[in-house]
Amino acid sequence: WRDHPRTMVLVWLAAASAALSPRPVRRTRLLRSSTPTMGNGADYGPPQSAAPATPTPDPSTVEALRAQTEGATRDSAAPAAPMPLPSQVAAPRGGNFAPIPPQAAVAPDPSAVPNPSAVSNRMGGDEASARRLWQVVAQSFKAAEQRAIPSEDIDNVGSIAGEERVPFWEQPEDYAETQRKDRRTIFMHDDWVRHRSSERFLRNMLSIPSSGINRALYKELVFVTSVAAFVVAFNCLFVSYQGAGGVVHPGPLNFLDANLKTMSLPALPFTIAMPALSLLLVFRTNTAYSRWNEARTLWGGLINNCRNVVRQSNQYFPDDARHTPLKRRMAAETTAFARALRNFLRGPSDDDVLRGELYELVSAGLMSPAQAEATMSASNRPMFCLQAMSATLRRADIDSMNMGRIDTSISVLVDLTGANERIFKSPIPLMYTRLLARFLSVFLVLMPLGLWQALGESWNHRATIPATFVISFFLFGIEEAGIQLEEPFSVLPIEAFCNGAIAAAADEMLAADGSKVFDEVPVV
């Protein structure tokens, strides 16, 4: 320590960083957030449910399935027997057919792929339909295995393990945007324990070099820090500088103008402006957080009302040969609605995922190919799916009062859809965000001039440069947090809501209703 203090500090920090990296906990959380399951009454399953779900078939698989389905429809004189939901067929893999991001894919277990005969037995002997569905599942497993990450190497991937973080100088240009999908986390018990751990302070400090804010703001930080370096260099060259012995000498270029004064500003203007800037920053972040909180609340309402539609259908539709398929179709269309709304919020890049999910319903006999194509062609896909739910409700032979109850739940879904569209299409007024950005930028660019006199005790005022960088990093970071939260849907785990909280819950309710377990009388 006496001979090499700096080296020992670096060694100690490296050892502390290695000791504070509980990788299995972090890995379980992020895998679970991409592939939620149901269990123990929770929305997304118990903490140990980290097995990824079967990915959505790729477009070529979807086209092949479409051709097979249309051919089977033309060749068959009688309608095929109802098929189980895809999540029921692929239950060994988590049961949701949720898409796995390429970087989060894990090699599937080939033994988990159901064979045609096993699927056929569960479908009442419909061997042809079972074989078509089995082909889709098998091809999906093959695609997942090709892009999978070996389980022993999963900790080496920063976006999955969360601990092998990428330094900011190695992050790509669009890192801040592509990293948004990695922020879609869902906390369970072990995550909350780690979140409030006393080790979080050191962990957060050690992760500063790999923070995404560095990449998002590197241009601003480089410019402001360069201004600070220019102020220091100009004053030392043209005015005066302090030698190694503490003696002040005229600058090397002082002969050009001996009367030149130091480039600096008094601290009073910054003291007056700082409260106004602080209020603007607080209002910016609070407004952005309120948008995120409202979006999460809206999706909580969507989850509850989608579950209510399925529950009410199971309750009010009669248990006969005519209405049992309608129950299943209503549940499938409710799931399709949630995924169509997710598709609207995610953008065109999600179109292939949605198409694959719709054709899974086609393969299960719960939607016609024409309806799947009409959904993809609709200008407002969520509303199209809600209209399909209303059409299914209209075909049910139930009491008008019960029909009104279900229709009320569907109407609430319409209201929630409109509220999501309102948040997505209406940013915080641009005049406000631009004023704050300009105010903050001018304040930080001029700040080195105000710090010059205040940091005069440091050698040649060199502390002006790191002080400017640190203050700029945190003030720009506050504004960046507001910008990142302003559009909340790309950081919300909507895939987990659709696949785990809605689709899995609907499947479970259908299975429970079909098993007649609630009809059994307890033995006294």
Side-chain angles (χ1 to χ4, degrees):
W1 278 95
R2 185 184 305 106
D3 297 334
H4 305 284
R6 295 182 180 180
T7 303
M8 294 303 297
V9 168
L10 292 176
V11 170
W12 183 85
L13 289 176
S17 176
L20 296 176
S21 57
R23 294 175 182 169
V25 173
R26 177 70 173 175
R27 177 179 63 203
T28 301
R29 169 157 61 95
L30 286 181
L31 288 178
R32 182 171 59 252
S33 67
S34 299
T35 58
T37 55
M38 292 292 295
N40 298 336
D43 282 353
Y44 317 107
Q48 64 271 20
S49 301
T54 308
T56 303
D58 54 31
S60 59
T61 304
V62 172
E63 293 298 329
L65 174 61
R66 185 190 309 170
Q68 293 175 357
T69 305
E70 292 175 351
T73 303
R74 290 193 301 268
D75 297 340
S76 177
M83 300 175 65
L85 294 172
S87 57
Q88 295 172 339
V89 176
R93 295 299 301 166
N96 290 324
F97 274 83
I100 300 177
Q103 72 274 14
V106 178
D109 181 8
S111 63
V113 182
N115 57 65
S117 59
V119 177
S120 175
N121 294 335
R122 300 181 63 177
M123 303 170 105
D126 188 358
E127 182 72 28
S129 299
R131 186 169 295 278
R132 290 197 303 272
L133 180 59
W134 175 81
Q135 291 173 352
V136 174
V137 176
Q139 292 179 20
S140 300
F141 271 75
K142 184 177 180 180
E145 189 171 9
Q146 290 174 351
R147 65 172 185 265
I149 298 172
S151 58
E152 61 272 13
D153 296 336
I154 198 166
D155 280 337
N156 297 326
V157 183
S159 60
I160 295 179
E163 301 299 336
E164 298 292 338
R165 302 169 65 96
V166 181
F168 74 92
W169 56 86
E170 297 180 5
Q171 296 169 358
E173 185 73 22
D174 59 345
Y175 182 77
E177 188 64 29
T178 57
Q179 191 195 28
R180 289 177 67 83
K181 65 179 181 298
D182 298 326
R183 304 183 188 275
R184 304 168 189 168
T185 53
I186 294 175
F187 268 38
M188 297 299 288
H189 307 89
D190 52 349
D191 304 305
W192 284 114
V193 171
R194 183 175 185 268
H195 180 67
R196 56 179 174 259
S197 169
S198 60
E199 300 172 349
R200 66 186 182 275
F201 301 105
L202 181 58
R203 185 169 61 241
N204 292 334
M205 294 301 295
L206 293 176
S207 62
I208 287 179
S210 59
S211 172
I213 292 180
N214 289 316
R215 170 53 65 177
L217 300 175
Y218 80 96
K219 294 180 181 178
E220 293 90 336
L221 294 175
V222 168
F223 180 77
V224 173
T225 307
S226 300
V227 171
F230 172 79
V231 170
V232 173
F234 179 89
N235 289 334
C236 289
L237 290 174
F238 287 89
V239 183
S240 63
Y241 70 95
Q242 186 179 16
V247 180
V248 177
H249 305 278
L253 303 179
N254 181 260
F255 65 90
L256 298 176
D257 188 352
N259 297 322
L260 193 64
K261 303 297 182 181
T262 58
M263 184 186 296
S264 63
L265 287 173
L268 181 60
F270 298 93
T271 305
I272 296 174
M274 192 63 200
L277 180 60
S278 301
L279 288 175
L280 288 174
L281 286 172
V282 169
F283 182 79
R284 179 74 169 88
T285 52
N286 283 353
T287 304
Y289 172 76
S290 66
R291 290 168 60 87
W292 181 91
N293 186 62
E294 184 181 4
R296 180 60 185 92
T297 303
L298 290 174
W299 269 92
L302 278 163
I303 292 170
N304 294 338
N305 278 277
C306 287
R307 291 171 173 176
N308 269 334
V309 170
V310 178
R311 179 188 60 81
Q312 290 170 332
S313 300
N314 290 341
Q315 179 179 356
Y316 299 136
F317 286 17
D319 291 327
D320 54 34
R322 176 168 177 251
H323 287 87
T324 298
L326 290 180
K327 294 181 185 179
R328 300 168 55 79
R329 180 158 187 167
M330 179 67 81
E333 289 171 344
T334 302
T335 301
F337 154 73
R339 289 167 171 167
L341 182 57
R342 179 211 65 207
N343 170 259
F344 165 75
L345 299 173
R346 289 281 185 261
S349 61
D350 191 67
D351 283 356
D352 291 338
V353 176
L354 178 62
R355 185 183 296 276
E357 291 167 341
L358 293 177
Y359 271 89
E360 289 172 11
L361 300 178
V362 172
S363 68
L366 300 172
M367 181 181 292
S368 66
Q371 182 176 342
E373 286 301 316
T375 303
M376 295 301 302
S377 301
S379 58
N380 193 320
R381 292 167 183 168
M383 287 303 303
F384 187 89
C385 293
L386 290 171
Q387 183 61 39
M389 295 166 61
S390 298
T392 301
L393 176 62
R394 186 173 60 249
R395 285 193 291 271
D397 185 15
I398 60 176
D399 181 77
S400 59
M401 184 174 295
N402 294 335
M403 183 177 291
R405 292 191 179 101
I406 301 177
D407 188 68
T408 299
S409 297
I410 297 177
S411 298
V412 173
L413 293 178
V414 175
D415 296 338
L416 295 172
T417 300
N420 277 268
E421 294 174 348
R422 169 177 52 81
I423 295 177
F424 184 77
K425 294 182 177 181
S426 303
I428 296 174
L430 297 180
M431 65 183 73
Y432 175 81
T433 56
R434 289 170 180 168
L435 173 64
L436 174 59
R438 291 163 182 161
F439 188 178
L440 181 60
S441 299
V442 172
F443 183 91
L444 293 177
V445 167
L446 297 179
M447 186 175 60
L449 302 176
L451 293 177
W452 175 264
Q453 296 294 341
L455 299 177
E457 296 297 327
S458 62
W459 184 65
N460 283 324
H461 303 256
R462 297 288 178 87
T464 302
I465 299 175
T468 299
F469 175 83
V470 172
I471 296 173
S472 300
F473 175 82
F474 288 108
L475 289 183
F476 274 132
I478 294 173
E479 196 224 1
E480 180 68 16
I483 292 175
Q484 293 293 327
L485 285 178
E486 184 178 0
E487 192 276 281
F489 299 107
S490 56
V491 294
L492 282 175
I494 300 181
E495 287 79 6
F497 299 158
C498 294
N499 299 330
I502 296 176
D507 291 358
E508 191 171 46
M509 285 188 283
L510 285 173
D513 183 72
S515 66
K516 306 300 180 184
V517 66
F518 303 122
D519 297 339
E520 298 182 4
V521 179
V523 178
V524 180

